Amino acid sequence: MRVVIALGGNALLKRGEPMTAETQRHNIRIAAEAMAPVAKEHELVISHGNGPQVGLLALQGAAYKPDEAYPLDVLGAETEGMIGYMIEQEMGNLLPFEVPFATLLTMVEVDPEDPGFKNPTKFVGPVYEKPDADRIAKEKGWVFKADGPKWRRVVPSPQPKRIFEIRPIKWLIEHNTVVICAGGGGIPTMYERGASRKLVGVEAVIDKDLCSELLARELEADLFIMATDAPGVYIDFGKPEAKVIRQSTPAAIGKYSFPAGSMGPKVDAACHFATATGKTAAIGALADIPAIVQGKKGTQISKRFDGITFHS
C-alpha cells in the first residue's frame, strides 16, 4: 500500500517551545518512531509543515538590510533541506540500514492571479503580544493577525496547481525509497507573463495540507494521512458533548464547519482526496499513525462509508 503522511507543525515544534535545533530533533524523533512501522510494511512518502521554521529564518533575515533579506521561497527551500535531513536521520536510526531515503526540494506552481495574494492568511513564525506585533509591522511592513490571544505574522497562501518534481518522486518510490518532499507546501513558484514563460519564486507559503493532498492524488496513494495533535476531528470541540468522528463520507462531514486556522483545511483536503480518488483520507494524532493505517484510530473519510459514526 502506498501511504502519504503529512506531518503537522506539532511534529516539529509545539506551541511555546523554544525554536532550537535540539527541540526540533526531539520532536522529529517522536514522529519517526510513529512512522517507522509504516515504512516497514508500506511505500511511504512524508510531507511536513514549516511555518515556525520559515518565520524564524525570516526574523534572522530581518536583521539585514531590506534588499539583503532572503524571500519566502528561498527560506522554504532552506527549511525543506533542514527538516528533511532530520527526518532522514531519525528514521534511518530506526529502520534497517539498507532502506534508502531521499529528501527532494519540491517546486510547486501557483497562479499569479490567485486571490490568496490579496488576503494574507498563512501564519508563520512565533506569536507576539499586540504592542510587539504593531512595532514589528511598522518596522518591517509585515502583516499580523490574531492567533488566539496572541498575534502572528501572516503571508499569502495561494492554491497549489502543479508539483514539478512528481516524476522523480514516483521513480524513487518505485525503487523502494522513503521520500520526504513538498515540505511546507513546497517552494512556491509561478511563470512570469510573456512569451519566455520564465519560472520565478513567489513571496508566499502554500498550505501544507492542500499541497500534500495534491501530492497524494498525483502519486495515486492508497491512504492519505494528516497527522496533528488531536485524536481526530471533533464535533462540538471544547463542549461537554464533544465527540470524535470515527468514519464519515465527504458529504456527511461537509455538513459541519471547522476552524479555518486549524482543522478546516485538513477536512477540506481529506474530503477532496476522498471524493477525487474514491480512497481513504485520515486525520489523527501523530502517535496513532500505525493504528490509523489499520483503520482503528483517527477520523477516516471515504465515499465507501455509510454516513457518519463516532468513536466511543
Side-chain angles (χ1 to χ4, degrees), residues 3 5-7 10-11 30-38 223 225-234 244-245 282-300 311:
V3 182
I5 298 177
L7 298 177
N10 63 291
I30 295 172
E33 290 171 353
M35 294 187 294
V38 180
L223 177 63
I225 299 174
M226 284 167 281
T228 181
D229 55 357
V233 181
Y234 278 89
V244 178
I245 297 172
I283 302 169
L286 176 67
D288 292 338
I289 284 177
I292 292 172
V293 172
Q294 297 171 3
K296 296 178 180 179
K297 290 192 175 183
T299 295
Q300 311 262 337
H311 285 283

Side-chain angles (χ1 to χ4, degrees), residues 15 116 118-124 126-130 133-134 137 142-156:
R15 184 181 290 268
K118 298 180 181 179
N119 179 31
T121 58
K122 183 66 176 177
F123 289 116
V124 298
V127 295
Y128 296 92
E129 299 293 342
K130 185 66 164 61
D134 290 341
W142 292 354
V143 178
F144 285 83
K145 288 185 179 180
D147 183 14
K150 304 287 187 176
W151 290 76
R152 201 172 174 198
R153 184 188 177 191
V154 290
V155 300

